[in-house]
């Protein structure tokens, strides 16, 4: 028999399954991270005694926990009770899931267990609902990859489905890219909901940069000729003015703020900082603009003798590197499905898929939910439309269109070669212009 222990923030659930996967025992106790392994052992023994269950029939155990401070004591208690350590759900355990988040620990062990159990009983798409201290809703959906499974079996190839939550704050695709998640891929395909269907659309990269100036503070009465104080605020203000002059000659959107500049008017500040967003529609323009703006900041620091520290205070995103053969394949497949495809080259949206597009040929298609006309992306009103009949129809069309592109790539070697050649050309062009 198998003892399964689920440690939640509020309660610890204990279940025993027989060799036929039937649940034979279920009980729970309150979670208390202060308990020792001996106390946990006593809790388990008391539960078994209360329900007259012979725990000596248990041959192994598995532990799923979202309370890390309790893990060691729980493992120790189970080892003492059963004579062998438990299997612990976490990184490194074979679950059958392809988890490709930048930080796998962001996926709680309970969510992993939910997904494994759901896939054991049902075929995707599946919705899982975990009602613990917090209610967590998960979606397991293979989408276009599911439609391409038979093609892979016949023609060969590998399909990888990535989960990429939290685009706006932590830019998960950037983390995945930086950690090499896409390095072995030939092509990356994705869709994003929008008011209309399009592939050829402009995008802008965002380069957040902070310039910190370090000086030497003193009282204002001591400042002046012969003083060794260095006014960090003077350096920041000079840098701000320099950048304001320089940006009118750059093909970039550059705006910033004075983030810190002292606390008292009679104290010469030893610290000041500026924060900027540098936005460009092509990567080479970003490189040139960042270089020019950094020269302005360095020159200002040097002019007063301050030290300069440069950091990226938020995750930078690159503009999409469009791939002509992929765009043509997407347009042809969507047109064949009867979905009109428009061009929005003047668009100024940003996406962390831009970073992916500089690592591997990437299609970032937009699938139109036609009931969303006039609604802004990432709003509650737009989100509500994704679960309407119009939203479901858009999802169906998008899955079919993306599967069609995947089919073309798997069955037409000449298309894959053209995609790679266009990618290499685009990277080379950006490098040459950005030097």
């Amino acid at each position: 028999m198998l003892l399964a222990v689920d440690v939640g923030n509020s309660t610890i659930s204990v279940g025993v399954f027989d060799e036929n996967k039937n649940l034979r025992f279920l009980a729970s106790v309150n979670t208390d991270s202060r308990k020792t392994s001996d106390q946990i052992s006593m809790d388990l023994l008391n539960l078994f005694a209360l329900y007259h269950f012979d725990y000596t029939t248990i041959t192994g155990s598995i532990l799923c926990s979202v309370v890390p401070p309790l893990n060691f004591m729980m493992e120790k208690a189970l080892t003492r009770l059963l004579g062998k350590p438990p299997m612990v759900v976490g990184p490194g355990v074979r679950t059958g899931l392809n988890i490709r988040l930048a930080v796998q620990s962001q996926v709680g062990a309970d969510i992993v267990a939910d997904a494994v159990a759901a896939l054991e009983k049902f075929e995707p798409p599946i919705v899982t609902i975990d009602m613990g201290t917090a209610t967590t809703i998960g979606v397991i959906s293979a989408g276009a990859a599911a439609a391409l499974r038979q093609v892979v079996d016949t023609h060969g190839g590998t399909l990888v489905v990535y989960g990429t939550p939290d685009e706006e704050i932590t830019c998960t695709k950037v983390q995945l890219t930086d950690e090499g998640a896409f390095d072995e891929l030939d092509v990356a395909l994705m869709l994003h909901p929008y008011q209309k269907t399009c592939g050829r659309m402009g995008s802008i990269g965002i380069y957040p940069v902070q310039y910190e100036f370090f000086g030497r503070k003193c009282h204002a009465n001591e400042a002046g000729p012969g003083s060794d104080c260095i006014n960090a605020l003077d350096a920041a203000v000079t840098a701000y003015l320099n950048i304001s002059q320089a940006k009118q000659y750059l093909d970039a959107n550059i705006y910033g703020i004075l983030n810190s500049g002292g606390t008292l008017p009679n104290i010469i500040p030893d610290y000041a900082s500026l924060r900027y967003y540098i936005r460009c529609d092509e990567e080479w323009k970003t490189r040139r603009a960042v270089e020019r703006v950094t020269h302005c900041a360095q020159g200002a620091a040097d002019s007063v003798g301050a030290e300069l520290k440069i950091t990226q205070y938020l995750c930078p995103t690159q503009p999409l590197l469009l791939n002509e053969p992929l765009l043509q394949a997407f347009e042809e497949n969507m047109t064949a499905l009867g979905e009109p495809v428009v061009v929005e080259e003047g668009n100024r949206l940003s996406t962390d898929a831009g970073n992916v597009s500089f690592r591997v040929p990437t299609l970032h298609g937009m699938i139109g939910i036609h009931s969303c006309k006039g609604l802004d992306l990432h709003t509650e009103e737009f989100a509500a439309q994704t679960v309407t009949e119009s939203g479901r129809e858009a999802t169906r069309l998008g899955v079919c269109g993306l599967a069609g592109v995947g089919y073309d790539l798997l069955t037409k070697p000449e298309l894959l070669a053209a995609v790679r050649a266009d990618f290499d050309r685009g990277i080379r062009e950006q490098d040459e212009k950005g030097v």
Side-chain angles (χ1 to χ4, degrees):
M1 292 203 183
L2 175 68
L3 172 64
V5 180
D6 180 13
V7 181
N9 288 297
S10 301
T11 60
I12 299 174
S13 298
V14 181
V16 177
F17 293 86
D18 63 21
E19 59 275 9
N20 295 317
K21 301 181 181 180
N22 296 315
L23 182 64
R24 298 286 300 277
F25 174 88
L26 181 63
S28 63
V29 295
N30 289 331
T31 301
D32 186 348
S33 60
R34 299 169 299 176
K35 285 189 175 181
T36 65
S37 60
D38 292 332
Q39 291 173 308
I40 295 171
S41 296
M42 289 302 301
D43 284 342
L44 293 173
L45 287 172
N46 287 336
L47 284 176
F48 293 136
L50 178 65
Y51 290 97
H52 307 289
F53 186 86
D54 183 8
Y55 77 90
T56 61
T57 60
I58 297 173
T59 56
S61 62
I62 184 168
L63 172 64
C64 171
S65 173
V66 295
V67 187
L70 198 54
N71 290 3
F72 175 74
M73 291 300 176
M74 182 61 71
E75 290 180 50
K76 191 174 180 182
L78 291 172
T79 302
R80 178 184 291 116
L81 193 66
L82 303 176
K84 62 176 69 172
M87 174 185 287
V88 181
V89 178
V93 174
R94 292 186 178 182
T95 61
L97 301 177
N98 194 0
I99 302 174
R100 293 190 174 245
L101 287 176
V103 183
Q104 290 198 6
S105 58
Q106 289 178 341
V107 181
D110 54 342
I111 305 304
V112 172
D114 292 343
V116 171
L119 289 169
E120 176 70 18
K121 289 182 172 292
F122 308 103
E123 286 290 326
I126 307 168
V127 174
T128 63
I129 303 176
D130 188 311
M131 293 182 290
T133 305
T135 299
T136 305
I137 300 175
V139 178
I140 306 171
S141 175
L148 288 170
R149 260 190 285 186
Q150 292 182 351
V151 181
V152 169
D153 292 341
T154 304
H155 295 273
T158 302
L159 297 172
V160 181
V161 180
Y162 292 85
T164 56
D166 196 9
E167 177 182 38
E168 278 64 46
I169 300 175
T170 61
C171 300
T172 308
K173 296 186 198 70
V174 177
Q175 296 181 46
L176 287 167
T177 302
D178 292 343
E179 295 192 8
F182 306 107
D183 287 354
E184 297 181 5
L185 300 186
D186 289 308
V187 178
L189 306 176
M190 72 161 287
L191 287 178
H192 193 293
Y194 194 48
Q195 298 96 338
K196 60 196 78 171
T197 297
C198 59
R200 301 170 192 275
M201 58 182 297
S203 68
I204 57 171
I206 301 178
Y207 190 92
V209 60
Q210 176 168 280
Y211 297 106
E212 297 177 280
F213 301 88
F214 298 88
R216 190 178 297 113
K217 70 179 177 181
C218 66
H219 194 279
N221 288 338
E222 300 172 1
S227 172
D228 63 352
C229 72
I230 298 175
N231 194 325
L233 179 59
D234 281 350
V237 172
T238 302
Y240 185 89
L241 295 174
N242 288 349
I243 294 169
S244 295
Q245 290 294 319
K247 70 182 184 182
Q248 60 185 314
Y249 302 104
L250 296 170
D251 188 5
N253 183 286
I254 304 173
Y255 286 96
I257 60 169
L258 180 66
N259 192 49
S260 177
T263 56
L264 295 172
N266 62 333
I267 301 297
I268 303 300
D270 61 351
Y271 176 80
S273 69
L274 298 170
R275 283 187 172 182
Y276 276 89
Y277 266 5
I278 300 175
R279 303 171 185 257
C280 300
D281 59 359
E282 292 195 63
E283 176 66 12
W284 69 268
K285 296 178 183 178
T286 301
R287 297 175 190 174
R288 287 189 179 182
V290 170
E291 181 180 23
R292 182 74 66 85
V293 170
T294 298
H295 283 164
C296 291
Q298 186 63 63
D302 293 342
S303 70
V304 301
E307 296 293 327
L308 175 65
K309 179 182 178 182
I310 305 170
T311 55
Q312 290 181 335
Y313 64 95
L314 289 175
C315 180
T317 61
Q318 295 173 282
L320 281 167
L321 183 61
L322 300 181
N323 189 284
E324 183 63 28
L326 278 180
L327 290 171
Q328 288 181 1
F330 176 68
E331 291 169 353
E332 290 170 2
N333 277 277
M334 295 310 299
T335 299
L337 291 167
E339 175 69 7
V341 182
V342 301
V343 176
E344 285 202 350
E345 293 181 348
N347 202 305
R348 287 297 178 263
L349 296 177
S350 296
T351 170
D352 54 2
N355 297 57
V356 182
S357 73
F358 275 82
R359 190 64 60 90
V360 61
T362 299
L363 170 67
H364 183 283
M366 306 295 274
I367 188 69
I369 301 177
H370 299 298
S371 60
C372 287
K373 290 181 179 178
L375 298 179
D376 290 331
L377 290 176
H378 305 295
T379 61
E380 292 183 2
E381 293 78 10
F382 190 98
Q385 292 299 315
T386 64
V387 294
T388 63
E389 186 57 40
S390 178
R392 285 188 285 271
E393 175 62 12
T395 301
R396 185 190 69 80
L397 285 171
V399 167
C400 292
L402 214 58
V405 176
Y407 178 85
D408 292 340
L409 290 166
L410 289 167
T411 59
K412 300 176 182 178
E414 66 278 10
L415 174 59
L416 184 58
V419 166
R420 185 69 205 186
D422 193 76
F423 172 77
D424 291 339
R425 178 202 57 76
I427 293 294
R428 185 169 58 252
E429 181 180 276
Q430 296 297 317
D431 287 343
E432 291 172 352
K433 290 183 177 180
V435 172

